[in-house]
Amino acid sequence: MIKVGCNDHLGKKVCLKCRTADTSRDLKKPITAQPGTHWNKVILKKWFMIFKDRVSLGDYGIHDGMNLGAL
């Protein structure tokens, strides 16, 4: 299990526990559970790279303690 920080679109920081085998779609669902936005409308980014829904976090090189942005 890794811990990933995510700054959501409302300006709050959310810390999530996930696996490197999880896809970015699996990461979007708990992020949007709090504000009530549908997970299809969320875009995960790291600098200028936009994460696709079907690619795993390990393929993107996401490791423990990284921060992502959600728009």
Side-chain angles (χ1 to χ4, degrees):
M1 296 291 279
I2 61 172
K3 194 181 240 185
V4 177
C6 184
N7 296 326
D8 67 355
H9 59 281
L10 296 177
K12 295 188 300 184
K13 186 170 184 177
V14 180
C15 289
L16 302 169
K17 289 185 180 180
C18 57
R19 296 177 289 142
T20 55
D22 290 344
T23 61
S24 61
R25 178 186 299 165
D26 297 332
L27 191 62
K28 286 180 184 182
K29 290 180 182 179
I31 291 171
T32 59
Q34 302 261 334
T37 306
H38 200 265
W39 67 269
N40 282 346
K41 304 213 182 237
V42 174
I43 300 171
L44 286 178
K45 290 178 76 172
K46 175 79 175 161
W47 289 91
F48 295 107
M49 183 172 45
I50 297 174
F51 296 157
K52 295 182 180 176
D53 286 341
R54 295 187 176 165
V55 181
S56 69
L57 298 176
D59 292 339
Y60 282 122
I62 304 297
H63 54 81
D64 193 26
M66 286 190 78
N67 290 319
L68 303 174
L71 301 175

